[in-house]
Amino acid sequence: MPENYDCIIVGAGPAGLAAALYSARDRLKTLVLEKFLPGGQINNTDRIENYPGLERIDGPGLIQVMQKQAENFGAQIKTSKEVTGLKRLENGLLEVTCDEEKFLTRVLILAAGSDYRKLGIPGEKKLAGAGVSYCGTCDAPFFKGKKVVTVGGGNTAIEETLHLTKFAEEVTIIHRRDEFRAAKVLAEELQEKAGQKDSHLNIKYDTVPVAINGPDKVLSVRLRNVKSGQEEDYTCDGVFVFIGMVPNTGFLKGFVELTGNGFIKCDCAYLRTNVPGVFTAGDCRIGAAMQLATAVGDGVVAAMMLKQYFRDKKFWDQPVSDLLGPGGW
């Protein structure tokens, strides 16, 4: 017979571990299922300086502390457990399948995370963390007085590029088309800043990166003009890639509602999906800020809301406005 739990969490990244901590502290029987090892993307970060309350810590170190906290309160964390099937049973319980193993739970929290979309060019993987970055908010201060290249043409690319200009000595944004696909107001702000006298912001349209060069840190990026085919090695200290995120939600198709690009649909106040008893948290959901602190916050919210669901099954059918009421939650 499958073992029963009060709460099963899929994913042991910051959102999943935060949810596990709060769920286990409430004396709920809690299980975390992780496909690989706890931590997710944050394991690739060697310097975290924007997590409130901690001046500096590395990703693996933070995850070790979070895992220990959750386990100290009784959460079980099983690694190398890939979820291959999910089902809501007629009795309201949720069945979670990992290959031949099955588990039953009253509530499920989906915290599968997401991955940065990669360029897939030579040098990118080797130099990740050694000049190649996917988060300007996280890493901009490390490039103070440096020369960096940013890649992308959407809202995030422009916002992050503008943020980088506050730190780097010179910023060059490259885009494969001849105009940005970002909101017009953002594109105009970027172009205006690039056009100012003595500006240290450059724009290269119709340009793609084809290789990132450097034996142990970024020294240059090879650029190709998509119209002329001409290539150049552009000297820089860092390459920031802002071409989107890929949520780890392929296994959820047909179980919960997803957006066209794979993010989990939910109400962003209480993180309820369209399936009763199934919450979501972290970077795999719509509207996620893609930051460590907000992922942790999501995990806390989901774990707190599951108690409301236990108290009142009608919670799932009530709109957010009714739940808040005149005096708030």
Side-chain angles (χ1 to χ4, degrees), residues 92-221:
L93 292 178
L94 294 147
E95 182 184 80
V96 183
T97 302
C98 296
D99 294 324
E100 301 300 319
E101 197 171 7
K102 293 184 184 294
F103 307 94
L104 294 176
T105 183
R106 298 166 67 193
V107 159
L108 182 66
I109 299 177
L110 302 172
S114 64
D115 290 323
Y116 294 110
R117 192 180 299 279
K118 307 298 195 299
L119 295 166
I121 60 176
E124 179 184 18
K125 183 177 181 179
K126 182 181 75 169
L127 297 172
V132 174
S133 174
Y134 302 88
C135 180
T137 302
C138 311
D139 295 338
F142 306 133
F143 289 84
K144 188 174 182 179
K146 304 288 186 178
K147 182 177 180 180
V148 302
V149 169
T150 66
V151 185
N155 289 348
T156 298
I158 290 183
E159 288 170 349
E160 294 277 52
T161 297
L162 289 169
H163 178 67
L164 278 159
T165 62
K166 301 173 184 177
F167 299 90
E169 181 180 344
E170 183 176 339
V171 180
T172 299
I173 181 171
I174 64 171
H175 184 45
R176 59 183 175 176
R177 298 188 177 93
D178 56 8
E179 62 180 28
F180 293 108
R181 55 184 174 82
K184 189 174 181 180
V185 64
L186 281 173
E188 289 176 346
E189 181 181 352
L190 183 84
Q191 291 160 347
E192 181 180 352
K193 188 172 183 67
Q196 291 174 355
K197 186 179 180 181
D198 299 325
S199 173
H200 299 291
L201 172 63
N202 308 306
I203 301 174
K204 285 182 174 287
Y205 296 105
D206 302 317
T207 301
V208 295
V210 294
I212 300 173
N213 308 314
D216 50 18
K217 65 177 182 178
V218 172
L219 297 178
S220 68
V221 57

Side-chain angles (χ1 to χ4, degrees), residues 14-310:
L17 292 175
L21 170 62
Y22 270 68
S23 176
R25 281 189 84 245
D26 281 328
R27 299 297 186 262
L28 299 174
K29 188 176 180 181
T30 302
L31 172 66
V32 182
L33 299 171
E34 169 56 47
K35 182 178 179 181
F36 299 114
L37 295 173
Q41 285 186 51
I42 205 70
N43 281 329
N44 299 319
T45 304
D46 61 355
R47 290 185 294 182
I48 298 170
E49 296 183 334
N50 61 346
Y51 189 76
L54 295 175
E55 288 189 5
R56 179 169 173 171
I57 193 170
D58 60 81
L62 178 62
I63 291 302
Q64 287 176 15
V65 173
M66 293 182 71
Q67 180 178 350
K68 184 178 180 182
Q69 279 182 304
E71 290 177 331
N72 284 346
F73 283 102
Q76 299 177 44
I77 299 174
K78 293 180 180 286
T79 57
S80 300
K81 293 292 182 182
E82 181 175 3
V83 175
T84 55
L86 293 165
K87 183 190 301 183
R88 191 170 193 271
L89 306 179
E90 291 184 1
N91 61 7
L93 292 178
L94 294 147
E95 182 184 80
V96 183
T97 302
C98 296
D99 294 324
E100 301 300 319
E101 197 171 7
K102 293 184 184 294
F103 307 94
L104 294 176
T105 183
R106 298 166 67 193
V107 159
L108 182 66
I109 299 177
L110 302 172
S114 64
D115 290 323
Y116 294 110
R117 192 180 299 279
K118 307 298 195 299
L119 295 166
I121 60 176
E124 179 184 18
K125 183 177 181 179
K126 182 181 75 169
L127 297 172
V132 174
S133 174
Y134 302 88
C135 180
T137 302
C138 311
D139 295 338
F142 306 133
F143 289 84
K144 188 174 182 179
K146 304 288 186 178
K147 182 177 180 180
V148 302
V149 169
T150 66
V151 185
N155 289 348
T156 298
I158 290 183
E159 288 170 349
E160 294 277 52
T161 297
L162 289 169
H163 178 67
L164 278 159
T165 62
K166 301 173 184 177
F167 299 90
E169 181 180 344
E170 183 176 339
V171 180
T172 299
I173 181 171
I174 64 171
H175 184 45
R176 59 183 175 176
R177 298 188 177 93
D178 56 8
E179 62 180 28
F180 293 108
R181 55 184 174 82
K184 189 174 181 180
V185 64
L186 281 173
E188 289 176 346
E189 181 181 352
L190 183 84
Q191 291 160 347
E192 181 180 352
K193 188 172 183 67
Q196 291 174 355
K197 186 179 180 181
D198 299 325
S199 173
H200 299 291
L201 172 63
N202 308 306
I203 301 174
K204 285 182 174 287
Y205 296 105
D206 302 317
T207 301
V208 295
V210 294
I212 300 173
N213 308 314
D216 50 18
K217 65 177 182 178
V218 172
L219 297 178
S220 68
V221 57
R222 177 164 285 268
L223 304 179
R224 176 186 297 152
N225 185 286
V226 297
K227 292 183 176 179
S228 68
Q230 184 175 351
E231 295 188 358
E232 64 170 319
D233 283 326
Y234 195 77
T235 301
C236 63
D237 303 291
V239 178
F240 284 78
V241 182
F242 306 125
I243 57 175
M245 304 293 294
V246 181
N248 302 319
T249 56
F251 71 103
L252 296 174
K253 291 180 180 178
F255 178 64
V256 294
E257 288 186 3
L258 305 174
T259 65
N261 52 2
F263 290 93
I264 299 170
K265 291 184 178 181
C266 67
D267 73 77
C268 293
Y270 303 117
L271 306 181
R272 301 169 295 185
T273 70
N274 66 305
V275 179
V278 180
F279 294 85
T280 184
D283 293 358
C284 60
R285 73 167 178 91
I286 59 168
M290 305 297 177
Q291 294 294 305
L292 168 63
T294 54
V296 169
D298 271 8
V300 173
V301 170
M304 293 181 71
M305 290 303 105
L306 68 84
K307 295 186 293 182
Q308 180 67 15
Y309 174 65
F310 288 158

